[in-house]
Amino acid sequence: MKRGENQDYTINYNTGEVTFTSFRPIFQQNFITISYNYANRNYSRYLFTGKLEHQREKFKVGLNWFMENDNKNAPLSLSLSKEDEQILAEAGNDPNLMYAPSGVVTEYDVNKILYRLNPAGNFYEFSTDPSLTLYQVSFTYFGANQGDYKIAQTTNNGRVFEYAGPNGGDYRAVRKLPSPQKSQVYSLNSEYLLNEGKIGADISLSNYDVNLFSSKDSDQNIGYAWRVFGNKSFTKNSWKGTPSFEYQYIDKQFHILDRINDVEFSRDFNLTQEFNKKTQNRFIFSFLNKWNNKSTLNYRINYLDEQNSYKGIKNDLDFGWITGKFFTKGNLSYLSTNATLQDTKFIRGGISTEFTGKKEAGPSEVAWNITRRSIMTRN
């Protein structure tokens, strides 16, 4: 799809809305996936990318790099105390430890919601007594029964929280400490041309540090991924066959900057998301047949393995042929998976026919679509 008022859709970046135009009708059976990136800039940051490439008659090699680093000594919209920095230094890569107490001693103000420490000094209580030592406290939501405080009432000045005991509430009297981060990815790719084909290999190394204040858990920062691929075409009379293969390995600690598979990848393999932070192995083999550039038949097998949690085999058959002004195409897919939660079997197929006329404004098209889907699961 193309963006624009005279195209398929428009984007309002102020409201984060996507509007489809009348040129792109949306039906009940359509799936819409929108990918986006966002960044919270709490520190000054620099971004450096580059590419080097050398190419000869049959050989090509290239190096790409991406570096995005926060400056931990130059916060933008926050002020970290020495105690805050020490908490981050001891937290390592664990975001659950990047919280600091939020109570700050303040003077009595009738327009503020203030708290006092209970006599034992281990939790906060709402108070309007100006003779006591009062605190202004911010509360962070952790989820149902994951906190110590709950909302007691809502006033004109805000919400009043009361202590509910360990795991008796949804909030905690802490504030999140944003940590400076570093993201670096280096990729080396190579490709060699054959007679009617090619072979190649890629390797990538990532260095992703979620907390530059801490040297703990540094062994979790480095990850790598690599792949090898190739294809070769054979011709005889009116037939042309092209077998191809690809093997891909992604380490569980490899940091993926952007989508590396097609948008339907997780849905096609019945995964929750494209990469689940588990070591992933994938093998693809396909054989494409063509006859007189009018008929095609392509068989493809996908094997995907996520370490100790998922194994899936996906078989795809794509076909098409041209008869006069009619172009018929279709596909058939069968997926079988073995996973920790459940095993699944999924069949999907579709076929369509298009008729091309001679209208000057563009080809007229009539299409018939037949789709059959079935799914079976067993726990």
Side-chain angles (χ1 to χ4, degrees):
M1 291 191 293
K2 296 181 179 180
R3 180 163 61 95
E5 293 181 355
N6 298 324
Q7 300 294 337
D8 299 314
Y9 67 95
T10 60
I11 300 177
N12 187 327
Y13 289 98
N14 294 324
T15 60
E17 294 178 342
V18 176
T19 302
F20 293 93
T21 66
S22 58
F23 297 98
R24 172 62 65 170
I26 305 298
F27 303 101
Q28 183 179 4
Q29 64 270 26
N30 292 134
F31 286 89
I32 299 172
T33 301
I34 299 176
S35 299
Y36 61 93
N37 293 319
Y38 66 92
N40 294 322
R41 293 190 59 193
N42 296 299
Y43 301 84
S44 62
R45 176 179 298 174
Y46 72 84
L47 175 65
F48 183 56
T49 64
K51 178 180 181 180
L52 291 174
E53 187 174 282
H54 174 71
Q55 185 171 356
R56 307 192 70 176
E57 183 178 354
K58 290 188 175 182
F59 179 70
K60 180 172 65 175
V61 62
L63 174 65
N64 298 269
W65 61 88
F66 173 93
M67 293 184 289
E68 186 178 47
N69 286 46
D70 288 337
N71 184 351
K72 67 179 183 179
N73 298 317
L76 295 177
S77 58
L78 69 154
S79 178
L80 296 178
S81 64
K82 293 299 182 181
E83 293 77 11
D84 294 338
E85 292 182 2
Q86 184 61 33
I87 291 174
L88 288 173
E90 296 175 356
N93 289 354
D94 189 351
N96 296 319
L97 300 179
M98 299 179 189
Y99 290 91
S102 62
V104 178
V105 176
T106 187
E107 294 182 356
Y108 175 76
D109 188 335
V110 68
N111 295 315
K112 293 181 180 179
I113 296 177
L114 302 176
Y115 299 83
R116 70 179 182 95
L117 281 173
N118 74 312
N122 51 11
F123 63 85
Y124 294 101
E125 295 177 330
F126 175 66
S127 177
T128 57
D129 187 350
S131 64
L132 300 175
T133 301
L134 299 178
Y135 297 81
Q136 188 169 10
V137 185
S138 59
F139 296 86
T140 301
Y141 180 76
F142 277 79
N145 298 321
Q146 298 295 317
D148 307 328
Y149 293 84
K150 64 181 180 180
I151 299 175
Q153 60 178 309
T154 301
T155 69
N156 292 333
N157 296 330
R159 295 178 295 184
V160 177
F161 293 83
E162 68 176 4
Y163 185 70
N167 297 325
D170 306 335
Y171 295 81
R172 297 181 189 176
V174 294
R175 55 188 173 88
K176 178 69 174 176
L177 296 177
S179 61
Q181 300 183 358
K182 174 176 66 177
S183 178
Q184 300 176 343
V185 178
Y186 306 91
S187 299
L188 179 67
N189 53 78
S190 61
E191 187 177 292
Y192 184 79
L193 297 180
L194 306 172
N195 184 21
E196 295 291 326
K198 65 180 179 181
I199 56 174
D202 303 331
I203 184 169
S204 296
L205 180 71
S206 70
N207 181 14
Y208 183 52
D209 192 344
V210 300
N211 184 6
L212 293 178
F213 275 111
S214 177
S215 59
K216 293 176 60 177
D217 302 326
S218 58
D219 57 326
Q220 300 176 5
N221 299 340
I222 304 297
Y224 63 95
W226 58 271
R227 71 166 184 146
V228 292
F229 60 92
N231 62 66
K232 172 73 173 175
S233 295
F234 302 91
T235 304
K236 184 175 182 180
N237 299 328
S238 62
W239 171 81
K240 183 178 182 180
T242 305
S244 62
F245 77 94
E246 179 179 339
Y247 176 77
Q248 176 180 286
Y249 176 91
I250 302 177
D251 179 62
K252 64 181 180 180
Q253 294 181 181
F254 183 73
H255 179 57
I256 297 177
L257 295 174
D258 204 352
R259 182 185 301 278
I260 60 175
N261 297 299
D262 60 76
V263 71
E264 290 288 316
F265 176 79
S266 57
R267 179 170 168 262
D268 286 342
F269 282 91
N270 200 23
L271 295 170
T272 55
Q273 56 188 14
E274 181 184 16
F275 187 57
N276 297 299
K277 296 300 181 182
K278 297 177 181 178
T279 298
Q280 192 177 92
N281 290 272
R282 186 183 180 192
F283 176 74
I284 308 168
F285 175 80
S286 67
F287 200 108
L288 174 62
N289 299 271
K290 291 185 178 180
W291 292 271
N292 291 324
N293 291 324
K294 288 187 176 183
S295 301
T296 61
L297 179 65
N298 184 37
Y299 170 73
R300 180 173 56 255
I301 183 171
N302 267 273
Y303 172 76
L304 180 66
D305 175 89
E306 287 192 341
Q307 190 176 35
N308 301 325
S309 63
Y310 174 95
K311 290 182 180 179
I313 297 178
K314 185 171 180 286
N315 295 270
D316 296 297
L317 186 66
D318 302 308
F319 55 88
W321 66 86
I322 299 175
T323 305
K325 297 181 180 181
F326 290 90
F327 174 45
T328 302
K329 59 182 178 181
N331 60 81
L332 182 65
S333 175
Y334 174 72
L335 172 70
S336 177
T337 70
N338 298 95
T340 303
L341 297 179
Q342 66 177 6
D343 300 339
T344 64
K345 298 183 184 298
F346 188 85
I347 300 174
R348 179 173 58 189
I351 185 170
S352 66
T353 299
E354 300 175 359
F355 174 79
T356 304
K358 296 182 179 180
K359 189 175 180 180
E360 293 182 359
S364 59
E365 180 181 293
V366 180
W368 296 271
N369 292 288
I370 303 173
T371 304
R372 295 290 183 266
R373 294 185 176 93
S374 65
I375 183 169
M376 298 178 290
T377 65
R378 66 178 185 274
N379 296 326

